[in-house]
Amino acid sequence: MSSPDPLAERLARVVGPAHVLLDSDLRASYETDWTRRYHGNSRFVVRPADTAEVAEVMRLCAEAGAPVVPQGGNTGLVGGGVPRGGEVVVSLQRLTSLEPVDSTAGEVTVGAGVTLAQLQEHVLAAGFGFGVDIASRDSATIGGMIATNAGGIRVLRHGPMRAQLVGIEAVRAGGTVIRRLPGLTKDNTGYDLPGLLAGSEGTLALVTRARLRLIPLLAARATALLAFDSVAGALAVLARVRAIPSLEAVEIFFREGVELVARHAGLPLPFAKAYPTYLLVECTARNDPMPDLAAALDGAKFLDSALTSGRQQRDALWAYRERHTESINAEGIPHKLDVALPLARLEEFAGNVRGRLAASVPEARPILFGHVADGNLHVNVLGLEPDDDRATDVILRYVAELGGSISAEHGVGIAKTRWLHLTRSPEDIATMRALKQALDPAGILNPGVIFG
Ligand code: MLT
Ligand code: ZN
């Protein structure tokens, strides 16, 4: 290592010179986000191997007054995991410990750098599943998923990452380690630190390990892809399936997205013709949940349908939903607006948002999809320069008008700081700032994220 950077030299003595990346080629993949919309230079990237090394890295960064951007699998979508200009990127990817599954408790303790797919495989071997699933499972890390309180396709049944957390280990700005991994389901002794850190987007502490609640492995699945001419029709079916005990996912997407996925993934359209609106419904149980799903759909109104209990056919149906993200990315650099609406206003929003956008930003090309049972729509906008915020402004103001949230699951990051006040009160924001000030008084943890 030939750098004269004294902090880099000190950190190299902690983590080993091979894990302080100064070379711009080596740093590049840590400096640009997955959408390519957000990028900036880091001072350097440091890759500690365990909690003790993270603590020492943070102690030395704090001593040097060096701002830090924590990073997991770099699958975030709001620019909160990449440097903005000269921060030290602390990659948690080497914290890959996988402790044995505690079958009695139905829990497991894992390192922040374990990917979701690795966790799923690990717990599967012990007969368990994990409550959160997202399409980026091969890259997204547990630490990053906690930091962003990731949601995904199973929230309606199991809740987001916060709901899976039984305990947490994290390193504070000055290097203090908070360790609450007691393996206690009940622990009402003061503030809920795991719950606080979930969704804090790396602004309060760096998550290093977590104790996670597991779910029974439910291997039998019934999946239905249904087509409608309107969102109202899809919502009528949501009302019919909502009470199925084995219901696990209800996803919505539209003609614009299906046609895009078909083109980019080289797939045929799911039905003989394209329809305006699609609903993907999935139930999981120990025994085939198809009779329950079929009974709920009996008499329901839809224009076309495909139902399956088979693994391969199921994957084929899910491809139309899960390949939205990559297909949109292949088309251009998207503006990703991840919003929540009260379900009572979702039809109105989905019906009007394209028109509102066309009226003020005609070159914007919206593609909608999302987790409809949670009132969560992903409004992706193509056709705009990365720093053109006009579409964001129109859409987030409309969301606020309808009583929604400007971020359902992706977080605020740096993408939405300007609009936070639309759906969080001044009292809320002041309280969050007070927490930030208490935990990170020097403001070195992920500066700019959430508050701007
Ligand atoms: C999804 O639901 O697929 C994820 O939130 C990713 C995305 O919004 O592109
Ligand atoms: Zn999502």
Side-chain angles (χ1 to χ4, degrees):
M1 202 177 63
S2 58
S3 164
D5 186 325
L7 179 61
E9 283 171 3
R10 258 177 265 143
L11 295 185
R13 286 196 282 278
V14 177
V15 301
H19 296 294
V20 177
L21 312 181
L22 288 149
D23 190 278
S24 60
D25 284 351
L26 296 177
R27 293 187 338 239
S29 67
Y30 299 85
E31 294 181 335
T32 300
D33 83 323
W34 193 82
T35 66
R36 310 177 305 277
R37 185 174 173 204
Y38 299 101
H39 45 82
N41 290 330
S42 64
R43 180 164 169 181
F44 52 81
V45 178
V46 58
R47 305 191 308 174
D50 56 27
T51 307
E53 287 190 8
V54 176
E56 191 56 9
V57 163
M58 285 313 303
R59 193 183 68 76
L60 292 169
C61 285
E63 201 176 271
V68 157
V69 173
Q71 192 182 91
N74 196 9
T75 56
L77 297 169
V78 285
V82 287
R84 272 73 69 186
E87 299 91 343
V88 173
V89 172
V90 180
S91 166
L92 283 315
Q93 271 178 318
R94 291 178 67 220
L95 278 70
T96 52
S97 62
L98 276 166
E99 293 181 23
V101 170
D102 179 342
S103 300
T104 316
E107 294 172 4
V108 68
T109 302
V110 303
V114 167
T115 65
L116 175 59
Q118 287 165 343
L119 171 74
Q120 287 171 332
E121 197 184 314
H122 180 62
V123 304
L124 176 75
F128 286 93
F130 185 60
V132 171
D133 195 19
I134 54 178
S136 53
R137 57 187 75 81
D138 290 319
S139 312
T141 60
I142 297 304
M145 289 175 67
I146 293 168
T148 55
N149 189 28
I153 56 188
R154 294 178 177 169
V155 168
L156 74 94
R157 189 168 185 182
H158 304 294
M161 276 308 273
R162 184 179 286 122
Q164 323 307 318
L165 272 179
V166 189
I168 207 158
E169 181 191 78
V171 175
R172 287 181 47 192
T176 306
V177 179
I178 315 166
R179 191 172 286 122
R180 291 292 300 159
L181 298 165
L184 295 170
T185 309
K186 292 189 164 176
D187 180 16
N188 264 351
T189 50
Y191 302 148
D192 176 25
L193 296 179
L196 176 66
L197 295 187
S200 64
E201 302 188 42
T203 62
L204 299 181
L206 276 66
V207 176
T208 48
R209 270 196 306 165
R211 188 158 177 93
L212 302 168
R213 173 174 297 114
L214 302 178
I215 59 171
L217 187 62
L218 303 173
R221 290 172 192 275
T223 310
L225 181 64
L226 309 167
F228 304 87
D229 60 8
S230 69
V231 173
L235 289 173
V237 166
L238 171 60
R240 279 175 166 265
V241 299
R242 178 71 89 172
I244 306 175
S246 56
L247 186 69
E248 191 154 281
V250 187
E251 299 284 311
I252 196 165
F253 42 91
F254 300 90
R255 185 199 302 258
E256 67 220 4
V258 160
E259 288 177 343
L260 185 69
V261 169
R263 193 164 75 247
H264 279 286
L267 298 172
L269 288 173
F271 302 119
K273 58 179 262 203
Y275 293 100
T277 304
Y278 297 82
L279 209 59
L280 187 60
V281 183
E282 187 161 270
C283 297
T284 61
R286 279 230 188 269
N287 302 313
D288 187 6
M290 186 56 91
D292 284 348
L293 178 56
L297 294 178
D298 189 29
K301 288 196 176 69
F302 41 82
L303 301 175
D304 224 328
S305 66
L307 271 74
T308 183
S309 298
R311 177 74 206 228
Q312 264 186 339
Q313 270 178 296
R314 181 244 177 208
D315 290 350
L317 295 182
W318 269 98
Y320 293 105
R321 163 62 182 87
E322 290 208 321
R323 298 190 73 171
H324 265 69
T325 306
E326 68 187 66
S327 303
I328 290 166
N329 244 40
E331 196 87 344
I333 297 180
H335 290 237
K336 297 191 79 80
L337 303 171
D338 153 49
V339 302
L341 281 312
L343 273 171
R345 310 304 293 270
L346 191 131
E347 182 191 346
E348 183 182 347
F349 177 83
N352 295 338
V353 67
R354 294 176 185 82
R356 283 208 177 203
L357 200 53
S360 50
V361 194
E363 63 273 46
R365 178 179 158 209
I367 297 159
L368 274 61
F369 63 98
H371 317 285
V372 68
D374 311 324
N376 179 188
L377 287 178
H378 296 312
V379 184
N380 288 247
V381 181
L382 287 167
L384 300 180
E385 291 299 319
D387 59 357
D388 182 342
D389 278 338
R390 288 174 300 153
T392 303
D393 199 58
V394 170
I395 293 166
L396 297 188
R397 284 184 191 281
Y398 187 32
V399 166
E401 202 181 302
L402 297 180
S405 167
I406 63 156
S407 176
E409 58 174 11
H410 295 172
V412 177
I414 56 163
K416 296 183 179 172
T417 55
R418 273 179 48 209
W419 294 273
L420 182 63
H421 68 96
L422 289 178
T423 63
R424 297 300 298 256
S425 68
E427 295 79 9
D428 275 7
I429 295 173
T431 306
M432 293 196 285
R433 277 190 189 278
L435 286 166
K436 167 76 176 165
Q437 175 66 24
L439 270 81
D440 177 23
I444 64 165
L445 285 181
N446 230 2
V449 164
I450 300 180
F451 306 106

